[in-house]
Amino acid sequence: MGTVTIGVSIAVPEPYGSLLQQLRTGFGDAAAQGIPTHVTLLPPTEIDGGALSAVEAHLTDVAAAGRPFPMRLCGTGTFRPLSPVVFVRVDEGAEACTWLQKQVRDASGPVPRELQFPYHPHVTVAHGIDEESMDRAFEELADYRAEWSCTGFALYEQGPDGVWRKLREFPFGSPMVPPQGGHVRGTIPSH
């Protein structure tokens, strides 16, 4: 069956997702059109295509243990000079994202994965472009704000054309959304 490249992420909903993708394109990031706007839970990972059903079963279990939580994006940050990335910060929901990504990458699951850098939830708005454009992205989105209730995550596959396509969504196990502005602590079980 060969290998496939997958990723797991929380989609940034509309109208925020399209707007940030358009802005990323406008900053000169050529890859932007092939990458839906998201918060990564599992970075691009190559797996055997035959393992996809095991990955889906694992993600179903992770989602069943999860609970909806408030997400808020606020302002910008950068990983420069370590990595050529400018991002919009996850101001609320970071703790829940951290819990989720640990569950997705758990050593007992089908996609155990060590990360190159410590996990830091964010929404990339510029990657690998010239410094002037990176600075412009950082400055223009410094006052950016968005918020929504995160109710699940999705599995994506990168096609041979470099475009990421959603394979399946994984809704959380409970429809209960904590009040906006509430603390995430305690709303997602830890294992």
Side-chain angles (χ1 to χ4, degrees):
M1 181 164 226
T3 61
V4 294
T5 300
I6 62 165
V8 177
S9 63
I10 295 169
V12 174
E14 296 306 329
Y16 314 120
S18 291
L19 173 65
L20 289 174
Q21 190 175 39
Q22 289 169 1
L23 289 168
R24 185 173 176 176
T25 300
F27 295 135
D29 191 332
Q33 289 303 325
I35 305 171
T37 307
H38 67 281
V39 175
T40 299
L41 298 176
L42 176 73
T45 302
E46 198 172 278
I47 64 165
D48 183 274
L52 210 46
S53 60
V55 170
E56 289 186 8
H58 173 65
L59 295 177
T60 298
D61 291 344
V62 171
R67 298 292 176 263
F69 58 91
M71 286 281 285
R72 183 174 54 237
L73 305 180
C74 182
T76 52
T78 184
F79 294 132
R80 297 182 293 174
L82 229 61
S83 181
V85 173
V86 170
F87 56 85
V88 173
R89 296 183 305 109
V90 174
D91 190 50
E92 184 175 7
E95 186 177 320
C97 291
T98 300
W99 181 86
L100 283 169
Q101 65 88 29
K102 283 180 186 173
Q103 305 312 304
V104 169
R105 295 185 306 101
D106 190 80
S108 67
V111 282
R113 166 99 195 252
E114 291 297 320
L115 298 178
Q116 185 178 0
F117 300 106
Y119 182 73
H120 182 86
H122 65 280
V123 177
T124 299
V125 291
H127 180 237
I129 57 178
D130 65 85
E131 290 297 319
E132 185 177 310
S133 297
M134 297 277 264
D135 292 342
R136 189 165 60 90
F138 187 87
E139 292 163 15
E140 286 185 19
L141 291 169
D143 295 325
Y144 184 81
R145 305 280 184 275
E147 51 187 280
W148 70 93
S149 293
C150 178
T151 58
F153 55 85
L155 172 65
Y156 293 81
E157 180 179 346
Q158 187 178 35
D161 56 0
V163 174
W164 287 91
R165 293 174 180 85
K166 187 187 307 178
L167 295 180
R168 182 173 164 199
E169 292 186 26
F170 296 88
F172 292 136
S174 168
M176 181 78 168
V177 177
Q180 294 295 319
H183 293 285
V184 174
R185 187 178 308 279
T187 61
I188 294 184
S190 59
H191 294 126

